[in-house]
Amino acid sequence: MIKKKPSNALARRKEALFKRSLKSRGFRFGLHKVWAEADWEFHQQHEKWVEFVYLKERNLDRRVKELVICAIIATLKSQPGHIVSHIKAAVKAGATKDEIIEVFELCGHWGGTLAQANALEAWRQAFAPELPGAFQPMNEK
């Protein structure tokens, strides 16, 4: 089945939503544009959910939410680049690198060593890129 090309109006709506969500989150990934093309209706509803649950400060402020998200995605062994995006959002919201590493230390106990190592690599990328990568082999010298 061949999809017809979206109208200019739809393309503008998609671009406006992309820009709005980039501004409110502070980051975006390619999967967000893929969702917009794969299922525009779902993407719009998902963005509403994100704005309500993730971005709106109800009982938890953005700093706390980002620390929780860092813990969850680290424990689920997300890619370090994904974790870094939430580290940056946590810092922007007021979290410290000491708070973030403590969150990741907790991940090691409840999420396992690989979760902790992924999180540690993300922390290194965000705060100490001059250090060797967490998974980089080191000489015995």
Side-chain angles (χ1 to χ4, degrees), residues 40-53:
W40 175 236
E41 185 178 1
F42 169 83
H43 183 62
Q44 292 176 93
Q45 295 304 315
H46 181 261
E47 287 299 318
K48 288 178 186 176
W49 179 88
V50 166
E51 288 174 6
F52 179 74
V53 175

Side-chain angles (χ1 to χ4, degrees), residues 97 121-133:
K97 68 180 191 174
E121 172 59 14
W123 186 93
R124 182 201 67 79
Q125 289 177 17
F127 298 114
E130 72 282 358
L131 294 176

Side-chain angles (χ1 to χ4, degrees), residues 13-137:
R13 286 177 43 216
K14 288 179 180 181
E15 187 60 26
L17 182 58
F18 184 80
K19 286 179 180 178
R20 186 176 87 219
S21 60
L22 174 60
K23 183 178 179 184
S24 63
R25 285 186 178 121
F27 60 88
R28 290 304 307 244
F29 290 103
L31 67 90
H32 298 110
K33 283 211 171 192
V34 173
W35 264 333
E37 293 306 313
D39 190 339
W40 175 236
E41 185 178 1
F42 169 83
H43 183 62
Q44 292 176 93
Q45 295 304 315
H46 181 261
E47 287 299 318
K48 288 178 186 176
W49 179 88
V50 166
E51 288 174 6
F52 179 74
V53 175
Y54 170 48
L55 300 173
K56 183 177 180 182
E57 291 192 6
R58 297 176 312 139
N59 297 301
L60 302 175
D61 63 23
R62 182 75 183 266
R63 179 187 150 277
V64 171
K65 287 182 179 187
E66 289 296 345
L67 289 170
V68 170
I69 291 166
C70 282
I72 292 168
I73 64 177
T75 301
L76 292 174
K77 302 172 186 79
S78 188
Q79 296 290 313
H82 181 218
I83 301 169
V84 168
S85 66
H86 285 282
I87 288 173
K88 289 179 180 179
V91 169
K92 185 176 179 183
T96 67
K97 68 180 191 174
D98 295 328
E99 290 173 323
I100 294 166
I101 196 64
E102 189 169 339
V103 164
F104 293 154
E105 290 163 354
L106 290 167
C107 294
H109 180 76
W110 280 277
T113 304
L114 182 56
Q116 188 176 46
N118 272 350
L120 188 61
E121 172 59 14
W123 186 93
R124 182 201 67 79
Q125 289 177 17
F127 298 114
E130 72 282 358
L131 294 176
F135 298 102
Q136 179 181 338

